[in-house]
Amino acid sequence: MVSTTKRLNRDFFNRLTALVGSRWFFAALVVLFVVEAAWIALSGRYPMAFDENFHLGIIRLYAHHISPFWGGNPSGAGVYGPVARDPSYLYQWLMSFPYRLSSNIIFLRFINIGLFAAGLPLYRRLLLKTGASRALVHFCLALFVLVPIVPLLAAQINYDNLLLPLTAVILLLTVNFTGELSRSKRIDGKTLLILINLGLLASLVKYAFLPVLLAAAVYVALVLCRTYPNFKKFWHGLGSGLGLMTRRTRWLLIILLIVSMGLFIQRYGVNLARYHKPVPSCDEVLSVQECSAYAPWYRDYQYAQIKIPDTTTSPLVFGGDWFYGMWFRTFFAVDGPATDFATRGPFVLPGIGAIVFSLAALGMTLACLREVFNRYNRSVLWLFAGTIAFYEVALWLDEYRSFLQTGRPVAINGRYLLPILPLLMVLLALGANTFLGARNRLKLVLAAGALVCLLSGGGTLTYILRSNDAWYWPDSPLKGTNHAIQNTVGPLVPGNSDPRAFMGHHGT
């Protein structure tokens, strides 16, 4: 009897993992994400919170200026900061071309949803390189699209929506290039040139990509050093790798490399030479008067002027605020400038559940870390770990610098973590899977618990249940449906009656 029960449980577990690991499940996951993001895009009036007016304003400037270069800061562009020297411009310049076809906000938002959605199959391919099962990878991505900040970001005109698929494809190319190098001791010249080109261009989408680029470069350099003991052998291997391409492909990629390096140097190189930093402050490029129209700079400027003497600058104090702010702004709901960025707190089960399950998975991962690296693709895991570390440290240091300058924790947003969140989620899932071993029933209980927590107010539900008419387009076709969901589903969701949950000083 016991043996029969075990067999039935094993069969059920195998059928369930086969279902979750199927292409149909992944396709449904992508459709769910698109519906989530489209729902918010059709509901939320312009501009929403994540700098939509900033990005669209610069897109409009480029729509009347064919070149990505400026002789000086455009007239009246002080409200957008030092546009002519900002290295994070490629998204706005590229988006100016569909804007010339149609300036409709919904049209532009749907392009952004498409960009984000394109990242999901790329992340799927990347995460599978760890040696994880399709079921585990699909489950992690299902949790990812149910994180409230994910559809909220994808529904807006924002450069993060282009950065996300670029991050995935560049890390995927890094894995492919180094994997081929380790297996055959041969440099794949085509993949290397594509990788360098995309890496340089991605850094011009958003300067925050630089730590990811550095992590990938260090990883590739280490594999090259292990493969080629001296420069002469490396140079010979590089020549052989480039020679395997057709002449047309080789020259096309070399020309693209010259262009991408030129664009990179034109912003980062000139900034370093002229201002001694890759991303100069607004007042280092423009006058204080001009920069006063640029809201983020002026906010920090004012905070610095009224900074309370002897304010603690302890990294531990800031670290606590940073972790709380990142968590809060990953699971919250927020409107745009029209309501002075009205903020509503996370729901209990998605917010607290994320903490509980993440800490549990982290503990299990640390307990069997050596086994995880032995069981799965060690080199890919090192790339993931290095990328997460480089990115997190750079982000923390940048925001700690702002804290030292202003005396306040500013610009702490959970959306900044999204490019590396799938990597972190799969690492923790691999650790939990390894720790639990053959205890399939416990795996199912924990997986179901995590999924139920995020379904209980996560995803687009956070936006729908926490929003009101002031957040919507006046003629939104979904306004009535949102109200119906608020009245029927809302009372069933724990924490629905407390829209200021967990807020403290984090919103209005």
Side-chain angles (χ1 to χ4, degrees):
M1 187 67 168
V2 174
S3 176
T4 301
T5 302
K6 285 184 176 180
R7 180 172 56 79
L8 290 174
N9 288 337
R10 186 171 61 251
D11 289 345
F12 174 74
F13 180 81
N14 290 338
R15 287 196 298 271
L16 186 60
T17 53
L19 172 65
V20 176
S22 69
R23 292 188 180 275
W24 289 107
F25 182 89
F26 180 73
L29 182 159
V30 175
V31 170
L32 170 64
F33 163 75
V34 171
V35 170
E36 283 189 295
W39 196 290
I40 297 176
L42 292 169
S43 296
R45 68 173 177 176
Y46 173 86
M48 284 200 276
F50 299 148
D51 306 321
E52 270 203 307
N53 53 348
F54 171 84
H55 290 293
L56 185 57
I58 300 179
I59 289 168
R60 285 170 173 156
L61 290 176
Y62 278 115
H64 297 92
H65 185 84
I66 192 66
S67 166
F69 310 120
W70 302 91
N73 221 50
S75 176
V79 67
Y80 308 118
V83 173
R85 296 306 326 148
D86 187 355
S88 307
Y89 71 91
L90 196 56
Y91 166 84
Q92 291 98 338
W93 181 68
L94 292 173
M95 281 293 293
S96 73
F97 293 97
Y99 178 86
R100 297 165 210 249
L101 299 176
S102 173
S103 60
N104 182 275
I105 298 298
I106 300 300
F107 170 67
L108 298 175
R109 284 180 176 176
F110 270 70
I111 291 176
N112 280 263
I113 294 171
L115 290 172
F116 198 115
L120 295 177
L122 292 170
Y123 272 105
R124 176 184 181 272
R125 291 181 60 189
L126 174 64
L127 300 181
L128 287 172
K129 294 290 185 179
T130 61
S133 68
R134 288 194 300 272
L136 186 143
V137 168
H138 292 177
F139 177 72
C140 288
L141 291 175
L143 296 182
F144 177 68
V145 302
L146 289 172
V147 173
I149 202 68
V150 169
L152 185 57
L153 170 65
Q156 304 185 35
I157 302 167
N158 188 286
Y159 54 10
D160 288 328
N161 293 318
L162 177 56
L163 186 68
L164 189 121
L166 282 174
T167 300
V169 75
I170 286 165
L171 291 177
L172 183 60
L173 287 170
T174 302
V175 170
N176 290 341
F177 173 77
T178 54
E180 174 67 18
L181 183 62
S182 298
R183 284 190 302 271
S184 65
K185 309 301 179 184
R186 178 178 64 84
I187 291 178
D188 182 345
K190 181 179 178 180
T191 301
L192 179 61
L193 286 176
I194 294 173
L195 176 59
I196 295 172
N197 280 313
L198 286 180
L200 293 173
L201 294 174
S203 67
L204 296 172
V205 171
K206 188 176 181 181
Y207 75 89
F209 180 77
L210 288 174
V212 177
L213 181 61
L214 179 60
V218 169
Y219 181 79
V220 168
L222 289 173
V223 177
L224 284 171
C225 288
R226 188 176 62 190
T227 306
Y228 298 102
N230 57 61
F231 184 77
K232 183 178 179 180
K233 290 188 176 181
F234 162 73
W235 191 252
H236 177 73
L238 179 61
S240 299
L242 294 176
L244 293 175
M245 291 183 283
T246 64
R247 178 174 296 184
R248 177 179 297 179
T249 301
R250 182 167 59 250
W251 279 110
L252 178 63
L253 290 174
I254 289 174
I255 291 170
L256 181 59
L257 179 62
I258 294 170
V259 171
S260 58
M261 286 188 67
L263 294 173
F264 186 89
I265 293 170
Q266 190 272 335
R267 292 297 167 104
Y268 288 108
V270 172
N271 284 349
L272 282 170
R274 188 177 297 173
Y275 307 107
H276 310 296
K277 55 180 69 172
V279 186
S281 173
C282 181
D283 60 330
E284 292 175 304
V285 180
L286 307 175
S287 68
V288 171
Q289 182 178 358
E290 290 174 295
C291 289
S292 296
Y294 182 37
W297 180 90
Y298 191 57
R299 174 203 62 201
D300 293 353
Y301 177 77
Q302 286 187 307
Y303 285 160
Q305 300 305 307
I306 60 174
K307 183 179 176 181
I308 301 172
D310 302 322
T311 300
T312 178
T313 58
S314 167
L316 293 178
V317 172
F318 173 75
D321 277 335
W322 189 82
F323 278 108
Y324 187 86
M326 282 294 182
W327 167 79
F328 180 87
R329 291 182 178 86
T330 299
F331 293 91
F332 76 153
V334 62
D335 189 38
T339 58
D340 196 23
F341 299 95
T343 301
R344 301 293 178 263
F347 281 100
V348 175
L349 288 181
I352 300 302
I355 296 174
V356 171
F357 283 100
S358 296
L359 289 177
L362 177 61
M364 288 186 274
T365 302
L366 293 176
C368 60
L369 192 60
R370 184 187 297 271
E371 187 179 351
V372 172
F373 273 77
N374 288 335
R375 180 174 178 179
Y376 297 99
N377 191 322
R378 178 190 299 267
S379 60
V380 176
L381 297 184
W382 275 119
L383 175 62
F384 283 15
T387 301
I388 293 169
F390 274 58
Y391 187 89
E392 289 266 20
V393 168
L395 179 61
W396 189 90
L397 289 175
D398 184 58
E399 294 180 343
Y400 183 57
R401 177 192 57 78
S402 296
F403 173 67
L404 295 178
Q405 176 187 344
T406 64
R408 307 188 189 200
V410 295
I412 298 175
N413 283 290
R415 63 188 170 96
Y416 299 154
L417 296 177
L418 293 189
I420 62 165
L421 187 56
L423 313 185
L424 182 59
M425 292 174 77
V426 83
L427 287 179
L428 294 179
L430 291 175
N433 187 56
T434 302
F435 182 85
L436 295 173
R439 288 170 282 190
N440 293 338
R441 182 178 296 180
L442 184 54
K443 289 180 184 179
L444 288 177
V445 169
L446 292 175
L451 189 61
V452 167
C453 282
L454 280 172
L455 288 172
S456 302
T460 297
L461 264 181
T462 299
Y463 178 86
I464 294 173
L465 297 180
R466 292 304 201 200
S467 57
N468 56 54
D469 282 355
W471 296 28
Y472 303 149
W473 293 105
D475 56 350
S476 171
L478 297 175
K479 183 189 295 186
T481 309
N482 287 343
H483 290 321
I485 294 172
Q486 290 167 355
N487 294 330
T488 56
V489 178
L492 304 177
V493 177
N496 184 62
S497 61
D498 185 13
R500 294 188 60 82
F502 309 107
M503 282 179 57
H505 62 277
H506 288 269
T508 58

